[in-house]
Amino acid sequence: MSEFVRQVKQPVKPLASRLGRLDIELTERCDNDCVHCCINLPAGDAAARAREMPTAKVKEILRQAADLGCMQVRFTGGEPLLRPDFEELYLFARRLGLKVLIFTNARHVTPALVDLLARIPPLVTIEVTVYGMHAESYEAVTRAPGSFAQFRRGVDLLLERRIPFVVKSALLPQNRAELDEFETWAATIPWMTKAPGHSMFFDLRNRRDDPEKNRLVESLRLTPEEGVAVLTRDADRYRKGMKEFGSKFMRPPGDVLFGCGAGAGLSVDAYGRAQPCMGVRAPGLTVDLAEKTLSDALDHFSTLREMRATNPEYLRRCARCFLKGLCEQCPAKSWAEHGTYDTPVEYLCDVAHAQARWLGWLKDGEKGWEVAEWRQRVEAT
Amino acid sequence: MTAASKIDVTLATICAPSEDVVAREIEGDIVIVPLVAGIGDADDELFTLNDTGKAIWKQLDGERTLGDVAKVLAQEFEAPLAELQADVLGFAGEMTTRRILAARG
Ligand code: SF4
Ligand code: SF4
């Protein structure tokens, strides 16, 4: 290439744009009824469908995002491909010069869609969630007869047309025995540059708070030790990765609530409400895009970094805990499970402690907020 | 690069951004986002321009010839015309070959 033009993955000054990333949940509906899912309204839920943003509204939001310098939109859900206007929205986003990341269960990948994706590529690798390697296990999770065959057909179409995609799993008792089989299959997918990710530490309550579902989710959760066993399947790699990660990111966070990327991008739900991230669904951190713009939402969330934890339990533990970089505890998780920003989620706390014990960062019975010489322990990993 | 053949451009050629890409101006940078497959070397690549590339790009309105563009830029930058002609031809040649610019004439 000449000196005039450079090929890049990202513009030279991506941080100069006001909006780093936009996530849009195109619908909360899904034709799977997964046992663990925090959303899954039925595909045919007419009331939910009627409340969803119309095509024109999604386009208006996409245009605003492009005007703010955003380079990438994620279309997710529910199942985004359930929307009859999906292809129209996809094309609209691409013609604005946005890359499009698609999260899907692949059941609705059609020949027409792969034709479109081959002609006008999304410029980001599609992510497909897998619920099992066989109809029996897959449909024990999705509770949708025929879903496995549709998923396989969708994936085969992507493979045939060489549309880049990666797979990830939701790891549940129904499919846990197939973990090796899944990873072996995943390794045959040409675009898998690393081992697949697994969702396994599921939230209670969240958007589908009802006692029966909460009991069900609790019964599906891995124990912290089981979770560690999955994470450490490639023990050397895990240890090496955690040492590197630990020396960069582990430290007690103090009372800062949002030390994360929330608010650098925006998340818009199916009904046109903007939030600083998909998990934080607090009314005080929600901007209705029927009345306001994405730019207003960014202004509204600009004070996020100044928000401080006040819950004494959080201040006693999380604020002083060196495991915070590793622990999934965050305002979104706290909001999902407790309806506050700063209540420790005990399950996630136990998972983080189990990981730290495995790594030798904690002795039995020790707590992450009690260790003064944590730096030396991380260094010695 | 993909199987594109070299396209000859001359000072009489007229160029404009092709319909196969979307050009965006973000914080003073020009970012060229492929719309169709096969523009970048990899599936996910974008293009950015240096200052000379940007100055040339902004003049390519589908009406002026490349010769006219070189003249305008030579005046603007008080630089030798021959130098600007070489730059403009080099830029337009590469960008038309990559289908980022469409050429006629
Ligand atoms: S999920 Fe948690 S850590 Fe991630 S952006 Fe949201 S608040 Fe921050
Ligand atoms: S490990 Fe426990 S105390 Fe530490 S940050 Fe996580 S939830 Fe808080």
Side-chain angles (χ1 to χ4, degrees):
Chain A
M1 291 208 98
S2 72
E3 79 262 35
F4 305 122
V5 50
R6 281 203 321 142
Q7 285 197 68
V8 293
K9 302 277 178 199
Q10 286 293 327
V12 187
K13 295 189 276 186
L15 294 177
S17 65
R18 272 199 75 204
L19 180 60
R21 198 191 60 248
L22 178 69
D23 295 330
I24 304 184
E25 281 181 1
L26 287 176
T27 177
E28 288 193 320
R29 295 173 298 115
C30 183
D31 47 0
N32 286 342
D33 181 21
C34 293
V35 285
H36 63 287
C37 180
C38 68
I39 311 181
N40 61 353
L41 296 181
D45 187 328
R49 187 164 173 184
R51 285 177 58 222
E52 284 168 9
M53 283 185 284
T55 312
K57 186 67 196 178
V58 181
K59 286 183 177 176
E60 182 195 320
I61 290 169
L62 290 168
R63 188 176 291 287
Q64 287 177 20
D67 288 346
L68 288 166
C70 179
M71 288 307 300
Q72 177 169 315
V73 61
R74 170 166 56 160
F75 285 151
T76 180
E79 172 49 49
L81 299 184
L82 276 188
R83 279 199 53 143
D85 58 358
F86 179 84
E87 291 185 14
E88 183 179 348
L89 294 173
Y90 171 78
L91 264 176
F92 188 83
R94 289 292 291 104
R95 289 200 173 114
L96 286 170
L98 291 162
K99 299 176 168 196
V100 180
L101 170 58
I102 303 169
F103 274 19
T104 178
N105 61 28
R107 286 182 58 188
H108 299 274
V109 172
T110 59
L113 180 67
V114 288
D115 276 350
L116 174 65
L117 297 171
R119 203 161 39 86
I120 305 205
L123 305 182
V124 198
T125 308
I126 295 168
E127 296 191 21
V128 175
T129 308
V130 180
Y131 302 101
M133 292 302 292
H134 302 277
E136 204 186 9
S137 53
Y138 189 97
E139 291 173 13
V141 175
T142 64
R143 299 185 290 194
S147 54
F148 179 72
Q150 283 184 333
F151 146 73
R152 284 307 304 227
R153 198 194 53 197
V155 160
D156 286 345
L157 279 169
L158 293 170
L159 280 169
E160 271 163 33
R161 297 300 302 273
R162 300 199 54 77
I163 310 292
F165 73 98
V166 293
V167 290
K168 54 198 179 182
S169 87
L171 199 57
L172 290 148
Q174 291 83 341
N175 59 28
R176 213 172 288 158
E178 298 168 359
L179 186 52
D180 285 336
E181 191 182 351
F182 170 67
E183 291 194 341
T184 305
W185 172 68
T188 66
I189 295 170
W191 304 279
M192 292 293 297
T193 49
K194 52 183 192 282
H198 306 287
S199 295
M200 51 187 168
F201 305 122
F202 300 108
D203 297 336
L204 296 183
R205 297 187 68 219
N206 211 322
R207 284 183 240 184
R208 37 82 176 117
D209 187 18
D210 94 77
E212 203 184 319
K213 181 94 186 191
N214 290 338
R215 271 196 297 278
L216 174 61
V217 174
E218 258 178 324
S219 76
L220 300 170
R221 280 174 159 180
L222 296 178
T223 65
E225 287 68 28
E226 285 169 339
V228 170
V230 174
L231 292 170
T232 59
R233 275 154 51 88
D234 185 342
D236 285 347
R237 217 166 97 207
Y238 176 75
R239 193 182 296 280
K240 207 166 144 239
M242 288 313 294
K243 179 177 180 172
E244 222 176 282
F245 174 88
S247 25
K248 277 195 205 132
F249 299 110
M250 307 283 286
R251 65 186 55 90
D255 60 357
V256 173
L257 267 177
F258 289 91
C260 55
L266 287 175
S267 173
V268 177
D269 76 5
Y271 317 112
R273 293 174 299 212
Q275 286 128 357
C277 89
M278 213 172 279
V280 178
R281 309 187 63 79
L285 287 179
T286 300
V287 171
D288 188 351
L289 298 177
E291 292 148 21
K292 307 267 187 189
T293 63
L294 290 183
S295 176
D296 296 331
L298 287 172
D299 289 343
H300 185 75
F301 301 141
S302 63
T303 53
L304 225 53
R305 310 264 165 265
E306 285 140 41
M307 288 177 69
R308 296 290 181 263
T310 54
N311 177 352
E313 186 62 2
Y314 185 97
L315 295 174
R316 183 179 73 82
R317 289 167 49 184
C318 305
R320 298 164 51 222
C321 177
F322 82 97
L323 300 179
K324 183 66 176 65
L326 153 94
C327 176
E328 285 191 28
Q329 165 75 30
C330 74
K333 297 291 181 186
S334 173
W335 181 262
E337 192 147 329
H338 298 292
T340 68
Y341 300 133
D342 55 1
T343 309
V345 175
E346 297 306 337
Y347 175 60
L348 299 179
C349 191
D350 292 345
V351 170
H353 278 79
Q355 283 175 264
R357 278 195 300 277
W358 188 92
L359 286 159
W361 294 351
L362 290 180
K363 299 182 191 119
D364 278 350
E366 260 181 344
K367 298 294 183 189
W369 57 91
E370 294 170 346
V371 179
E373 77 290 4
W374 57 270
R375 263 180 223 282
Q376 292 89 309
R377 294 199 192 176
V378 172
E379 279 308 313
T381 309
Chain B
M1 85 177 273
T2 44
S5 53
K6 181 94 183 78
I7 291 175
D8 285 328
V9 291
T10 69
L11 292 174
T13 306
I14 295 172
C15 287
S18 108
E19 289 180 357
D20 292 342
V21 299
V22 181
R24 299 181 56 186
E25 190 159 350
I26 299 172
E27 301 287 327
D29 275 337
I30 305 248
V31 182
I32 296 161
V33 183
L35 185 59
V36 301
I39 303 265
D41 292 343
D43 289 325
D44 55 353
E45 261 163 351
L46 314 174
F47 298 83
T48 56
L49 304 179
N50 73 358
D51 287 344
T52 313
K54 262 192 277 184
I56 301 171
W57 178 269
K58 286 184 179 170
Q59 299 293 331
L60 298 172
D61 56 2
E63 288 177 12
R64 286 193 190 100
T65 63
L66 296 181
D68 290 342
V69 169
K71 268 187 222 150
V72 171
L73 293 174
Q75 274 169 11
E76 190 179 326
F77 294 111
E78 295 175 5
L81 180 61
E83 203 175 284
L84 262 303
Q85 285 173 335
D87 282 353
V88 170
L89 287 176
F91 179 79
E94 178 170 8
M95 300 296 255
T96 47
T97 304
R98 281 193 177 271
R99 293 188 288 145
I100 294 173
L101 285 174
R104 67 185 160 88

